[in-house]
mmCIF file of all heavy atoms in Angstrom:
data_model
loop_
_atom_site.group_PDB
_atom_site.id
_atom_site.type_symbol
_atom_site.label_atom_id
_atom_site.label_comp_id
_atom_site.label_asym_id
_atom_site.label_seq_id
_atom_site.Cartn_x
_atom_site.Cartn_y
_atom_site.Cartn_z
ATOM 1 N N ASN D 1 -109.109 -121.589 -22.078
ATOM 2 C CA ASN D 1 -107.767 -120.949 -21.868
ATOM 3 C C ASN D 1 -107.744 -119.504 -22.359
ATOM 4 O O ASN D 1 -108.376 -119.183 -23.369
ATOM 5 C CB ASN D 1 -106.825 -121.758 -22.914
ATOM 6 C CG ASN D 1 -106.804 -123.221 -22.609
ATOM 7 O OD1 ASN D 1 -106.812 -123.575 -21.416
ATOM 8 N ND2 ASN D 1 -106.702 -124.054 -23.564
ATOM 9 N N ILE D 2 -107.093 -118.734 -21.486
ATOM 10 C CA ILE D 2 -107.229 -117.192 -21.696
ATOM 11 C C ILE D 2 -105.791 -116.824 -21.777
ATOM 12 O O ILE D 2 -105.020 -117.030 -20.781
ATOM 13 C CB ILE D 2 -107.962 -116.557 -20.493
ATOM 14 C CG1 ILE D 2 -109.285 -117.151 -20.324
ATOM 15 C CG2 ILE D 2 -108.040 -115.144 -20.695
ATOM 16 C CD1 ILE D 2 -109.912 -117.048 -18.933
ATOM 17 N N ASP D 3 -105.549 -116.032 -22.905
ATOM 18 C CA ASP D 3 -104.176 -115.566 -23.187
ATOM 19 C C ASP D 3 -103.970 -114.116 -22.474
ATOM 20 O O ASP D 3 -102.944 -113.958 -21.877
ATOM 21 C CB ASP D 3 -103.991 -115.387 -24.665
ATOM 22 C CG ASP D 3 -102.498 -115.188 -25.099
ATOM 23 O OD1 ASP D 3 -101.693 -115.022 -24.147
ATOM 24 O OD2 ASP D 3 -102.210 -115.258 -26.270
ATOM 25 N N TYR D 4 -104.873 -113.276 -22.737
ATOM 26 C CA TYR D 4 -104.848 -111.902 -22.201
ATOM 27 C C TYR D 4 -106.066 -111.302 -21.966
ATOM 28 O O TYR D 4 -107.035 -111.701 -22.684
ATOM 29 C CB TYR D 4 -103.774 -111.018 -22.836
ATOM 30 C CG TYR D 4 -104.305 -110.645 -24.277
ATOM 31 C CD1 TYR D 4 -105.219 -109.611 -24.368
ATOM 32 C CD2 TYR D 4 -103.944 -111.299 -25.386
ATOM 33 C CE1 TYR D 4 -105.680 -109.242 -25.636
ATOM 34 C CE2 TYR D 4 -104.372 -110.992 -26.677
ATOM 35 C CZ TYR D 4 -105.285 -109.876 -26.679
ATOM 36 O OH TYR D 4 -105.738 -109.641 -28.057
ATOM 37 N N VAL D 5 -106.154 -110.224 -21.262
ATOM 38 C CA VAL D 5 -107.430 -109.369 -21.206
ATOM 39 C C VAL D 5 -106.822 -107.832 -21.189
ATOM 40 O O VAL D 5 -105.835 -107.662 -20.566
ATOM 41 C CB VAL D 5 -108.331 -109.706 -20.051
ATOM 42 C CG1 VAL D 5 -107.479 -109.573 -18.727
ATOM 43 C CG2 VAL D 5 -109.594 -108.750 -20.078
ATOM 44 N N ALA D 6 -107.471 -107.051 -21.928
ATOM 45 C CA ALA D 6 -107.113 -105.598 -21.909
ATOM 46 C C ALA D 6 -108.260 -104.629 -22.001
ATOM 47 O O ALA D 6 -109.297 -105.105 -22.646
ATOM 48 C CB ALA D 6 -106.113 -105.335 -23.223
ATOM 49 N N VAL D 7 -108.118 -103.599 -21.418
ATOM 50 C CA VAL D 7 -109.104 -102.483 -21.450
ATOM 51 C C VAL D 7 -108.391 -101.282 -22.122
ATOM 52 O O VAL D 7 -107.529 -100.833 -21.649
ATOM 53 C CB VAL D 7 -109.633 -102.247 -19.985
ATOM 54 C CG1 VAL D 7 -110.690 -101.084 -20.215
ATOM 55 C CG2 VAL D 7 -110.207 -103.350 -19.426
ATOM 56 N N TYR D 8 -109.153 -100.794 -23.063
ATOM 57 C CA TYR D 8 -108.536 -99.498 -23.820
ATOM 58 C C TYR D 8 -109.660 -98.424 -23.693
ATOM 59 O O TYR D 8 -110.785 -98.708 -23.788
ATOM 60 C CB TYR D 8 -108.272 -99.965 -25.288
ATOM 61 C CG TYR D 8 -107.514 -101.145 -25.555
ATOM 62 C CD1 TYR D 8 -107.949 -102.284 -25.933
ATOM 63 C CD2 TYR D 8 -106.012 -100.926 -25.332
ATOM 64 C CE1 TYR D 8 -107.151 -103.388 -26.326
ATOM 65 C CE2 TYR D 8 -105.163 -102.179 -25.652
ATOM 66 C CZ TYR D 8 -105.833 -103.281 -26.128
ATOM 67 O OH TYR D 8 -105.028 -104.283 -26.317
ATOM 68 N N ASN D 9 -109.077 -97.223 -23.573
ATOM 69 C CA ASN D 9 -109.946 -96.068 -23.561
ATOM 70 C C ASN D 9 -109.646 -95.031 -24.581
ATOM 71 O O ASN D 9 -108.452 -94.769 -24.871
ATOM 72 C CB ASN D 9 -110.143 -95.392 -22.127
ATOM 73 C CG ASN D 9 -111.053 -96.119 -21.224
ATOM 74 O OD1 ASN D 9 -110.734 -97.036 -20.494
ATOM 75 N ND2 ASN D 9 -112.305 -95.638 -21.202
ATOM 76 N N LYS D 10 -110.688 -94.343 -25.090
ATOM 77 C CA LYS D 10 -110.473 -93.112 -25.852
ATOM 78 C C LYS D 10 -111.297 -92.047 -25.168
ATOM 79 O O LYS D 10 -112.489 -92.176 -24.848
ATOM 80 C CB LYS D 10 -111.164 -93.381 -27.204
ATOM 81 C CG LYS D 10 -110.924 -92.133 -28.240
ATOM 82 C CD LYS D 10 -111.774 -92.310 -29.479
ATOM 83 C CE LYS D 10 -111.346 -93.570 -30.292
ATOM 84 N NZ LYS D 10 -112.211 -93.454 -31.530
ATOM 85 N N GLY D 11 -110.616 -90.929 -24.941
ATOM 86 C CA GLY D 11 -111.162 -89.813 -24.119
ATOM 87 C C GLY D 11 -112.206 -89.004 -24.838
ATOM 88 O O GLY D 11 -112.293 -89.109 -26.006
ATOM 89 N N PRO D 12 -113.016 -88.280 -24.200
ATOM 90 C CA PRO D 12 -113.891 -87.430 -24.819
ATOM 91 C C PRO D 12 -113.156 -86.455 -25.858
ATOM 92 O O PRO D 12 -112.218 -85.958 -25.612
ATOM 93 C CB PRO D 12 -114.621 -86.599 -23.644
ATOM 94 C CG PRO D 12 -114.385 -87.456 -22.587
ATOM 95 C CD PRO D 12 -113.065 -88.154 -22.688
ATOM 96 N N GLY D 13 -113.847 -86.360 -27.011
ATOM 97 C CA GLY D 13 -113.334 -85.341 -27.998
ATOM 98 C C GLY D 13 -112.264 -85.981 -28.913
ATOM 99 O O GLY D 13 -111.855 -85.368 -29.847
ATOM 100 N N SER D 14 -111.766 -87.177 -28.517
ATOM 101 C CA SER D 14 -110.789 -87.794 -29.447
ATOM 102 C C SER D 14 -111.295 -88.444 -30.562
ATOM 103 O O SER D 14 -112.580 -88.862 -30.431
ATOM 104 C CB SER D 14 -109.914 -88.671 -28.656
ATOM 105 O OG SER D 14 -110.633 -89.769 -28.081
ATOM 106 N N THR D 15 -110.674 -88.607 -31.607
ATOM 107 C CA THR D 15 -111.217 -89.261 -32.751
ATOM 108 C C THR D 15 -110.302 -90.259 -33.386
ATOM 109 O O THR D 15 -109.014 -90.162 -33.179
ATOM 110 C CB THR D 15 -111.593 -88.297 -33.945
ATOM 111 O OG1 THR D 15 -110.326 -87.609 -34.290
ATOM 112 C CG2 THR D 15 -112.567 -87.267 -33.432
ATOM 113 N N THR D 16 -110.742 -91.267 -34.061
ATOM 114 C CA THR D 16 -109.791 -92.313 -34.571
ATOM 115 C C THR D 16 -109.884 -91.942 -36.140
ATOM 116 O O THR D 16 -110.963 -91.919 -36.686
ATOM 117 C CB THR D 16 -110.349 -93.678 -34.402
ATOM 118 O OG1 THR D 16 -110.373 -94.045 -33.094
ATOM 119 C CG2 THR D 16 -109.575 -94.713 -35.140
ATOM 120 N N PRO D 17 -108.834 -91.675 -36.806
ATOM 121 C CA PRO D 17 -108.758 -91.493 -38.160
ATOM 122 C C PRO D 17 -109.393 -92.488 -39.036
ATOM 123 O O PRO D 17 -109.272 -93.728 -38.558
ATOM 124 C CB PRO D 17 -107.293 -91.303 -38.608
ATOM 125 C CG PRO D 17 -106.578 -91.060 -37.277
ATOM 126 C CD PRO D 17 -107.383 -91.785 -36.232
ATOM 127 N N PRO D 18 -110.191 -92.252 -39.893
ATOM 128 C CA PRO D 18 -110.806 -93.302 -40.833
ATOM 129 C C PRO D 18 -109.839 -94.017 -41.561
ATOM 130 O O PRO D 18 -108.747 -93.429 -41.776
ATOM 131 C CB PRO D 18 -111.737 -92.490 -41.621
ATOM 132 C CG PRO D 18 -111.205 -91.219 -41.845
ATOM 133 C CD PRO D 18 -110.624 -90.923 -40.542
ATOM 134 N N PRO D 19 -110.026 -95.325 -41.921
ATOM 135 C CA PRO D 19 -109.125 -95.978 -42.707
ATOM 136 C C PRO D 19 -108.850 -95.359 -44.107
ATOM 137 O O PRO D 19 -109.736 -94.500 -44.591
ATOM 138 C CB PRO D 19 -109.683 -97.378 -43.044
ATOM 139 C CG PRO D 19 -111.142 -97.159 -42.704
ATOM 140 C CD PRO D 19 -111.313 -96.017 -41.693
ATOM 141 N N ALA D 20 -107.672 -95.427 -44.690
ATOM 142 C CA ALA D 20 -107.445 -94.842 -46.001
ATOM 143 C C ALA D 20 -108.530 -95.136 -46.985
ATOM 144 O O ALA D 20 -108.905 -96.334 -47.057
ATOM 145 C CB ALA D 20 -105.959 -95.368 -46.460
ATOM 146 N N GLY D 21 -109.000 -94.224 -47.514
ATOM 147 C CA GLY D 21 -110.093 -94.287 -48.548
ATOM 148 C C GLY D 21 -111.508 -94.124 -47.819
ATOM 149 O O GLY D 21 -112.412 -93.709 -48.396
ATOM 150 N N GLY D 22 -111.726 -94.522 -46.631
ATOM 151 C CA GLY D 22 -112.942 -94.267 -45.835
ATOM 152 C C GLY D 22 -114.037 -95.173 -46.298
ATOM 153 O O GLY D 22 -113.892 -95.694 -47.476
ATOM 154 N N ASN D 23 -115.143 -95.330 -45.573
ATOM 155 C CA ASN D 23 -116.389 -96.083 -46.006
ATOM 156 C C ASN D 23 -117.136 -95.146 -46.807
ATOM 157 O O ASN D 23 -117.783 -94.147 -46.218
ATOM 158 C CB ASN D 23 -117.053 -96.500 -44.823
ATOM 159 C CG ASN D 23 -118.338 -97.333 -45.170
ATOM 160 O OD1 ASN D 23 -118.625 -97.494 -46.320
ATOM 161 N ND2 ASN D 23 -119.018 -97.645 -44.188
ATOM 162 N N LEU D 24 -117.209 -95.308 -48.105
ATOM 163 C CA LEU D 24 -117.957 -94.448 -48.961
ATOM 164 C C LEU D 24 -119.548 -94.660 -49.001
ATOM 165 O O LEU D 24 -120.240 -93.886 -49.380
ATOM 166 C CB LEU D 24 -117.429 -94.513 -50.485
ATOM 167 C CG LEU D 24 -115.933 -94.235 -50.694
ATOM 168 C CD1 LEU D 24 -115.598 -94.659 -52.000
ATOM 169 C CD2 LEU D 24 -115.529 -92.917 -50.263
ATOM 170 N N SER D 25 -119.921 -95.751 -48.638
ATOM 171 C CA SER D 25 -121.257 -96.216 -48.711
ATOM 172 C C SER D 25 -122.176 -95.820 -47.549
ATOM 173 O O SER D 25 -123.445 -95.797 -47.673
ATOM 174 C CB SER D 25 -121.412 -97.679 -49.078
ATOM 175 O OG SER D 25 -120.776 -98.447 -48.005
ATOM 176 N N GLN D 26 -121.703 -95.686 -46.428
ATOM 177 C CA GLN D 26 -122.408 -95.425 -45.243
ATOM 178 C C GLN D 26 -123.449 -94.291 -45.348
ATOM 179 O O GLN D 26 -122.934 -93.110 -45.583
ATOM 180 C CB GLN D 26 -121.692 -95.356 -43.942
ATOM 181 C CG GLN D 26 -122.504 -95.373 -42.651
ATOM 182 C CD GLN D 26 -121.683 -95.613 -41.389
ATOM 183 O OE1 GLN D 26 -120.742 -96.436 -41.325
ATOM 184 N NE2 GLN D 26 -122.080 -94.938 -40.316
ATOM 185 N N GLY D 27 -124.643 -94.566 -45.101
ATOM 186 C CA GLY D 27 -125.615 -93.449 -45.179
ATOM 187 C C GLY D 27 -126.123 -93.013 -46.575
ATOM 188 O O GLY D 27 -127.015 -92.013 -46.695
ATOM 189 N N LYS D 28 -125.551 -93.677 -47.560
ATOM 190 C CA LYS D 28 -125.832 -93.287 -48.964
ATOM 191 C C LYS D 28 -127.189 -93.938 -49.441
ATOM 192 O O LYS D 28 -127.554 -94.954 -48.620
ATOM 193 C CB LYS D 28 -124.764 -93.605 -49.823
ATOM 194 C CG LYS D 28 -123.560 -92.878 -49.572
ATOM 195 C CD LYS D 28 -123.692 -91.422 -49.636
ATOM 196 C CE LYS D 28 -122.419 -90.591 -49.207
ATOM 197 N NZ LYS D 28 -121.200 -90.869 -49.918
ATOM 198 N N THR D 29 -127.686 -93.664 -50.518
ATOM 199 C CA THR D 29 -128.994 -94.212 -50.974
ATOM 200 C C THR D 29 -128.672 -95.645 -51.568
ATOM 201 O O THR D 29 -127.888 -95.795 -52.491
ATOM 202 C CB THR D 29 -129.585 -93.301 -52.122
ATOM 203 O OG1 THR D 29 -129.819 -92.119 -51.582
ATOM 204 C CG2 THR D 29 -130.831 -93.981 -52.605
ATOM 205 N N ALA D 30 -129.388 -96.617 -51.011
ATOM 206 C CA ALA D 30 -129.363 -97.992 -51.483
ATOM 207 C C ALA D 30 -130.604 -98.496 -51.954
ATOM 208 O O ALA D 30 -131.734 -98.186 -51.349
ATOM 209 C CB ALA D 30 -128.777 -98.982 -50.226
ATOM 210 N N THR D 31 -130.628 -99.198 -53.067
ATOM 211 C CA THR D 31 -131.757 -99.916 -53.555
ATOM 212 C C THR D 31 -131.451 -101.334 -53.785
ATOM 213 O O THR D 31 -130.338 -101.774 -53.872
ATOM 214 C CB THR D 31 -132.164 -99.262 -54.983
ATOM 215 O OG1 THR D 31 -131.068 -99.217 -55.885
ATOM 216 C CG2 THR D 31 -132.695 -97.799 -54.699
ATOM 217 N N ALA D 32 -132.508 -102.100 -54.078
ATOM 218 C CA ALA D 32 -132.435 -103.605 -54.160
ATOM 219 C C ALA D 32 -133.456 -104.151 -55.129
ATOM 220 O O ALA D 32 -134.424 -103.436 -55.466
ATOM 221 C CB ALA D 32 -132.446 -104.246 -52.798
ATOM 222 N N SER D 33 -133.154 -105.297 -55.769
ATOM 223 C CA SER D 33 -134.087 -105.987 -56.636
ATOM 224 C C SER D 33 -135.306 -106.437 -55.883
ATOM 225 O O SER D 33 -136.377 -106.499 -56.473
ATOM 226 C CB SER D 33 -133.342 -107.340 -57.255
ATOM 227 O OG SER D 33 -132.932 -108.087 -56.168
ATOM 228 N N SER D 34 -135.272 -106.703 -54.671
ATOM 229 C CA SER D 34 -136.414 -106.990 -53.771
ATOM 230 C C SER D 34 -136.033 -107.027 -52.336
ATOM 231 O O SER D 34 -134.868 -106.867 -51.980
ATOM 232 C CB SER D 34 -136.834 -108.570 -54.113
ATOM 233 O OG SER D 34 -135.827 -109.478 -53.711
ATOM 234 N N THR D 35 -137.134 -107.056 -51.533
ATOM 235 C CA THR D 35 -136.981 -107.122 -50.086
ATOM 236 C C THR D 35 -137.844 -108.189 -49.653
ATOM 237 O O THR D 35 -138.922 -108.497 -50.148
ATOM 238 C CB THR D 35 -137.246 -105.886 -49.276
ATOM 239 O OG1 THR D 35 -138.537 -105.415 -49.574
ATOM 240 C CG2 THR D 35 -136.207 -104.783 -49.625
ATOM 241 N N GLU D 36 -137.530 -108.941 -48.584
ATOM 242 C CA GLU D 36 -138.303 -110.020 -48.029
ATOM 243 C C GLU D 36 -139.585 -109.325 -47.481
ATOM 244 O O GLU D 36 -140.697 -109.847 -47.640
ATOM 245 C CB GLU D 36 -137.613 -110.566 -46.884
ATOM 246 C CG GLU D 36 -138.384 -111.700 -46.166
ATOM 247 C CD GLU D 36 -137.725 -112.217 -44.957
ATOM 248 O OE1 GLU D 36 -136.594 -111.923 -44.690
ATOM 249 O OE2 GLU D 36 -138.542 -112.808 -44.116
ATOM 250 N N ASN D 37 -139.444 -108.258 -46.760
ATOM 251 C CA ASN D 37 -140.636 -107.473 -46.329
ATOM 252 C C ASN D 37 -140.152 -106.133 -45.817
ATOM 253 O O ASN D 37 -138.959 -105.815 -45.923
ATOM 254 C CB ASN D 37 -141.480 -108.319 -45.177
ATOM 255 C CG ASN D 37 -140.619 -108.546 -44.006
ATOM 256 O OD1 ASN D 37 -139.928 -107.648 -43.363
ATOM 257 N ND2 ASN D 37 -140.574 -109.702 -43.489
ATOM 258 N N GLY D 38 -141.046 -105.365 -45.305
ATOM 259 C CA GLY D 38 -140.730 -103.910 -45.016
ATOM 260 C C GLY D 38 -139.787 -103.803 -43.842
ATOM 261 O O GLY D 38 -139.196 -102.654 -43.567
ATOM 262 N N SER D 39 -139.451 -104.922 -43.218
ATOM 263 C CA SER D 39 -138.418 -104.787 -42.021
ATOM 264 C C SER D 39 -137.126 -104.956 -42.394
ATOM 265 O O SER D 39 -136.175 -104.638 -41.608
ATOM 266 C CB SER D 39 -138.850 -105.894 -41.025
ATOM 267 O OG SER D 39 -140.077 -105.760 -40.406
ATOM 268 N N PHE D 40 -136.744 -105.234 -43.652
ATOM 269 C CA PHE D 40 -135.401 -105.545 -44.123
ATOM 270 C C PHE D 40 -135.134 -104.756 -45.468
ATOM 271 O O PHE D 40 -134.744 -105.319 -46.397
ATOM 272 C CB PHE D 40 -135.330 -107.034 -44.500
ATOM 273 C CG PHE D 40 -135.638 -107.906 -43.318
ATOM 274 C CD1 PHE D 40 -136.808 -108.737 -43.267
ATOM 275 C CD2 PHE D 40 -134.884 -107.843 -42.086
ATOM 276 C CE1 PHE D 40 -137.192 -109.522 -42.149
ATOM 277 C CE2 PHE D 40 -135.244 -108.708 -41.019
ATOM 278 C CZ PHE D 40 -136.288 -109.467 -41.022
#
């Protein structure tokens, strides 16, 4: 059962404002107690 389908576009050069507060962690330095292996 299909209710609707929609296609949305954002043009070149347009931007979507980040959510209030923004993502503070992306691209920052992360460390962990362990890793399964070097791939993770």
Side-chain angles (χ1 to χ4, degrees):
N1 301 322
I2 302 156
D3 192 356
Y4 68 81
V5 58
V7 179
Y8 306 104
N9 274 89
K10 183 194 297 185
S14 60
T15 59
T16 300
N23 180 2
L24 304 173
S25 58
Q26 185 166 324
K28 300 298 174 56
T29 301
T31 55
S33 54
S34 66
T35 57
E36 179 192 343
N37 59 50
S39 298
F40 306 108

